[in-house]
Amino acid sequence: MIISKRQLLSLACSVAIVAAWSVPAFSQNKDAIKVGVPTALTGPYGDLGNQVRRAVEFAVEEANTKGGVDGRKVEVQFQDTQAKADSARQQGEKLALSGYKLLVGTIASGEGLALNPMLERWDALYISTINKADALTGESCSPRSFRVNHPDYSDASAVGTWLKTQQQGKWAVMGSDTAWGRNSGASFKTTAEGMGKSVVTEGYAALGANDFAPYIQQFVSSGAEGIWVALAGRDAINFAQQAAQFGLLKKVNVAGVSFVTDNTVATLGDVSKGIWGIINYSSTLDTPENKAFVAAWGKKYPGTQPSNFEGETYVGMQVLFQAVTKAKSVKPADVAKAMSGGSFDTVFGKSELRAKDNQLVVPNYFGRVDTHEGGLRPVISLTVPKDVATPGPDAKCKM
Amino acid sequence: MIIQVLNGLVYGGMLYILSVGLVLLFGLRRVVNFAHGGLFMLGAYAGYAASMQFGFWGGVVFSVVALAVLGALLDRLVFRPLQNVDHMITVLVTYGLLLVFEDFVHTVWGADLISVRVPALLAGTIGIGDTQFPVYRLVVIAVAIAVALGLSAWLHFSRAGLYVRASSVDSLTTAMQGVDTERLSIGVVALGTALAGLSGVVAAPLIALSPSMGSSILIESFIVVVTGGLGSFVGAFIAAIVIGQVHNFGVVYLPNVSSMLPLLLMVGVLIWRPTGLARTQS
């Protein structure tokens, strides 16, 4: 078959038109949204950092497929922090200085606390999606720093509601020797003692600890009837695995924060059944926004549901994109202005980002690992309404 | 108290099996192998993968054999060329290998954590006093003792062991006596990496599998080797047992500084006895 020049030209034009039709049209006059993600891609929290990565990639792809955010293309760059505060500061600076000034997604609270004082100097903005230490939106708060996940004091209020229903009077605390772990242990102790219960022993293991046997033996000897666990990632798995081998999980009531997540349950299997925990986000949340998110997630990552940290990180991206649309700018100062005091559509429903401390006001949940739709999942059994779960702003926060 | 001592022996035993491989490598090749943590991690993953098909014990055998083969290859391709170069180059190359191993595991198995079950036969607990102690933990102690005794017997009562001890003191003079030290080294390095594999697969039911699991235990195994005395098999055994106990009792009695205690012990030993607990020529 011989194709004439005219036919060839018309064919090329057709291909170009189809290609242009199928590729999202981003505005050439608008700056791209550059998101920097300094997170733990390796180290003891490596699995959590990779959950952050999955959620950010999901949100970015979802936005770009729909033609971007306010016509702007979303670009993202990841840097490994190994969950170390000094590394988070270095990687955050590297990202900000290379134009990725909208920072999201560190894991350890110490990392977020290391970023906060530097944000204005870097002309950057930071959205915490995992950091729990109260200080982030308390004494160390910053006009450029926002938190969309639940702080420790929110978890404490959920614990208080749940603990009232439990009979055990003597408790032990097993926490990570980090700002978050100590904060969570102290909050639990205050809450328990306020109800006439006691914390008979406490153990705080270094991040990345391999051996929890000495702590487990202490708990056995102390006569504790319940254990509050503030461990995440590999530490949480190591503790649960070893405690199960000592028969401890069957003898005492075990509950925790960041402990009952889809990923922990998937790794531990039957060992995790019956463990109680704060569920900050669950793929089973009954809101239209969450149902749409879970369905879209299943298409990108077949056979999986978004985990606790993936859901929370997605909320951060939802808030960021809506703030950029509202600000009509990607400059961190403008985006921060749009975020503070704003109202946003999230997987939790309509949620306010409180201006006084830049904390997202959302409900909190408590539940336990149980069989759900044929598999083990964290199942919500108690919902703490948003006014109880996120009480008034911390007075120590001076913007 | 007895339970805490046993827990210390479990951790110390695990450290010993890993560290004695490092001692073998340093003794024969004078290589400070930063990739050893990676070999521990590869051993755990290889054992896990094989156990899916052949059960836990099949996984143990596969892991040990696979790591021995890998060790022989590493000796030929990496350690032998490195034995006479500057130590800093050795450190950089072996650290690079650790990163390669981590990326390999990350690519094959992903970053998600993996939990390995204790084999059904060893899954229960046994009563010691009024406390229940996991049977599997006693097996870890038994494996460490078996490795220590087996290695000691091999080193002291076999001809190959004699050559290894001679070569680790003075390789050149040993070669001048007609010993094929290159061939000997391949075998010894393979044994060292096989022990790294064994420690990984034995530790797998106790600690979650992740690509970074090797880095987290590497520092502790170096503390064992340095405290015991570089190149000393007896020193590594004593140091591992002492550090296991220091770790356990530190958590119980000095919880706020427990993570520093092994390091303080190492510094104290080096000030008191710069060649380590067991004096060597190193």
Side-chain angles (χ1 to χ4, degrees):
Chain A
M1 187 175 72
I2 297 168
I3 300 174
S4 68
K5 278 186 182 175
R6 178 172 290 188
Q7 283 173 313
L8 195 64
L9 192 64
S10 62
L11 184 67
C13 285
S14 308
V15 170
I17 289 165
V18 170
W21 188 266
S22 57
V23 172
F26 302 113
S27 172
Q28 299 300 311
N29 303 323
K30 291 181 176 177
D31 293 328
I33 301 171
K34 291 190 171 183
V35 182
V37 188
T39 195
L41 297 173
T42 60
Y45 285 166
D47 64 316
L48 306 186
N50 279 282
Q51 290 174 44
V52 167
R53 184 181 194 137
R54 272 199 293 270
V56 170
E57 284 175 344
F58 170 83
V60 170
E61 188 183 304
E62 184 184 55
N64 284 339
T65 308
K66 290 176 182 168
V69 175
D70 189 30
R72 299 168 194 274
K73 187 180 179 189
V74 186
E75 294 173 9
V76 63
Q77 200 174 95
F78 297 89
Q79 291 290 345
D80 187 11
T81 65
Q82 296 187 324
K84 292 174 183 166
D86 55 338
S87 179
R89 187 180 282 209
Q90 285 169 7
Q91 301 290 37
E93 183 171 28
K94 195 170 163 185
L95 286 163
L97 295 182
S98 54
Y100 291 82
K101 291 172 181 285
L102 305 171
L103 305 173
V104 179
T106 68
I107 305 292
S109 291
E111 296 182 88
L113 290 169
L115 292 182
N116 267 16
M118 310 307 294
L119 296 170
E120 288 186 273
R121 187 187 296 179
W122 298 339
D123 186 24
L125 171 151
Y126 172 60
I127 302 175
S128 157
T129 63
I130 311 285
N131 310 153
K132 282 189 170 292
D134 293 341
L136 198 74
T137 48
E139 62 200 70
S140 302
C141 71
S142 158
R144 293 291 186 92
S145 173
F146 300 82
R147 170 154 54 195
V148 299
N149 62 301
H150 300 77
D152 277 328
Y153 66 77
S154 169
D155 290 344
S157 68
V159 172
T161 312
W162 170 77
L163 206 52
K164 280 180 199 160
T165 65
Q166 302 302 302
Q167 294 172 338
Q168 293 78 17
K170 289 162 80 178
W171 287 78
V173 171
M174 177 72 250
S176 147
D177 194 5
T178 58
W180 161 66
R182 295 255 174 198
N183 207 165
S184 176
S187 298
F188 179 83
K189 193 174 178 181
T190 308
T191 308
E193 287 175 350
M195 291 177 187
K197 298 174 189 284
S198 62
V199 171
V200 290
T201 182
E202 293 173 76
Y204 293 94
L207 193 62
N210 288 309
D211 186 26
F212 285 89
Y215 301 101
I216 292 166
Q217 191 51 44
Q218 267 188 302
F219 299 157
V220 171
S221 309
S222 71
E225 300 159 305
I227 301 174
W228 178 253
V229 184
L231 297 170
R234 189 166 170 266
D235 295 345
I237 303 291
N238 284 348
F239 171 73
Q241 203 162 307
Q242 293 172 27
Q245 287 164 11
F246 276 88
L248 188 67
L249 297 185
K250 286 181 183 162
K251 286 183 193 158
V252 300
N253 201 6
V254 181
V257 55
S258 300
F259 191 41
V260 174
T261 69
D262 288 276
N263 288 63
T264 313
V265 174
T267 305
L268 288 172
D270 292 345
V271 167
S272 63
K273 191 169 184 180
I275 295 179
W276 291 93
I278 292 171
I279 301 173
N280 294 140
Y281 163 82
S282 167
S283 55
T284 59
L285 279 182
D286 192 17
T287 64
E289 295 90 344
N290 186 53
K291 284 178 179 167
F293 167 51
V294 173
W297 183 274
K299 282 181 189 160
K300 179 163 170 66
Y301 304 112
T304 67
Q305 289 93 23
S307 70
N308 182 54
F309 298 114
E310 285 160 346
E312 289 183 306
T313 303
Y314 182 69
V315 171
M317 299 302 284
Q318 283 185 305
V319 170
L320 174 64
F321 292 161
Q322 288 169 56
V324 168
T325 307
K326 189 176 161 191
K328 299 193 183 304
S329 165
V330 291
K331 288 181 182 165
D334 298 336
V335 179
K337 206 173 165 188
M339 284 176 81
S340 186
S343 183
F344 300 92
D345 292 317
T346 72
V347 295
F348 297 108
K350 202 84 166 165
S351 309
E352 183 211 346
L353 227 168
R354 197 163 54 195
K356 284 188 177 168
D357 59 350
N358 289 346
Q359 171 66 50
L360 193 72
V361 180
V362 285
N364 209 345
Y365 310 92
F366 214 97
R368 71 190 306 181
V369 180
D370 213 340
T371 308
H372 180 80
E373 293 176 357
L376 280 178
R377 298 273 297 278
V379 180
I380 292 172
S381 58
L382 190 153
T383 300
V384 184
K386 61 171 107 176
D387 55 323
V388 180
T390 325
D394 191 334
K396 290 179 193 156
C397 172
K398 309 284 181 207
M399 289 287 184
Chain B
M1 179 66 104
I2 294 171
I3 299 293
Q4 290 294 16
V5 171
L6 284 173
N7 280 329
L9 286 176
V10 173
Y11 198 59
M14 210 167 71
L15 283 178
Y16 168 71
I17 306 171
L18 179 63
S19 308
V20 77
L22 268 175
V23 172
L24 282 166
L25 254 77
F26 185 81
L28 265 289
R29 283 294 184 207
R30 292 288 183 270
V31 167
V32 180
N33 182 23
F34 268 72
H36 212 66
L39 296 168
F40 167 81
M41 180 259 307
L42 279 178
Y45 274 93
Y48 160 73
S51 69
M52 298 283 107
Q53 294 292 321
F54 311 112
F56 182 80
W57 300 109
V60 172
V61 173
F62 177 80
S63 173
V64 169
V65 173
L67 267 289
V69 172
L70 178 63
L73 285 172
L74 283 175
D75 184 67
R76 185 53 71 98
L77 301 173
V78 182
F79 298 143
R80 188 187 295 184
L82 285 179
Q83 66 179 337
N84 293 319
V85 302
D86 188 88
H87 279 305
M88 186 50 73
I89 295 172
T90 311
V91 167
L92 289 174
V93 171
T94 55
Y95 184 68
L97 272 176
L98 171 67
L99 299 180
V100 169
F101 292 153
E102 286 185 352
D103 272 0
F104 171 74
V105 166
H106 193 283
T107 306
V108 176
W109 285 282
D112 288 341
L113 300 164
I114 295 170
S115 171
V116 175
R117 296 293 177 90
V118 173
L121 192 67
L122 308 173
T125 55
I126 189 167
I128 297 176
D130 56 353
T131 310
Q132 294 297 310
F133 194 77
V135 173
Y136 186 75
R137 288 189 162 251
L138 293 175
V139 172
V140 175
I141 298 173
V143 170
I145 291 171
V147 167
L149 290 176
L151 207 57
S152 181
W154 180 65
L155 287 168
H156 291 94
F157 303 118
S158 74
R159 186 168 290 274
L162 176 69
Y163 293 161
V164 170
R165 282 186 291 138
S167 192
S168 65
V169 173
D170 189 337
S171 182
L172 186 64
T173 308
T174 308
M176 286 167 67
Q177 306 303 313
V179 176
D180 185 349
T181 52
E182 290 304 320
R183 202 170 143 198
L184 184 70
S185 291
I186 291 182
V188 170
V189 170
L191 177 62
T193 55
L195 286 171
L198 178 66
S199 59
V201 75
V202 166
L206 302 178
I207 58 180
L209 271 57
S210 76
S212 61
M213 68 186 284
S215 317
S216 71
I217 205 161
L218 182 67
I219 303 296
E220 281 161 320
S221 56
F222 270 119
I223 292 174
V224 167
V225 173
V226 173
T227 306
L230 282 170
S232 168
F233 300 99
V234 177
F237 182 77
I238 297 169
I241 299 305
V242 170
I243 286 170
Q245 297 303 332
V246 165
H247 161 76
N248 257 270
F249 285 98
V251 165
V252 178
Y253 295 110
L254 297 166
N256 291 330
V257 292
S258 63
S259 55
M260 275 199 297
L261 290 177
L263 285 164
L264 291 175
L265 176 75
M266 181 181 75
V267 171
V269 166
L270 290 182
I271 291 171
W272 169 53
R273 206 181 259 211
T275 52
L277 283 173
R279 285 182 186 278
T280 68
Q281 299 295 316
S282 301

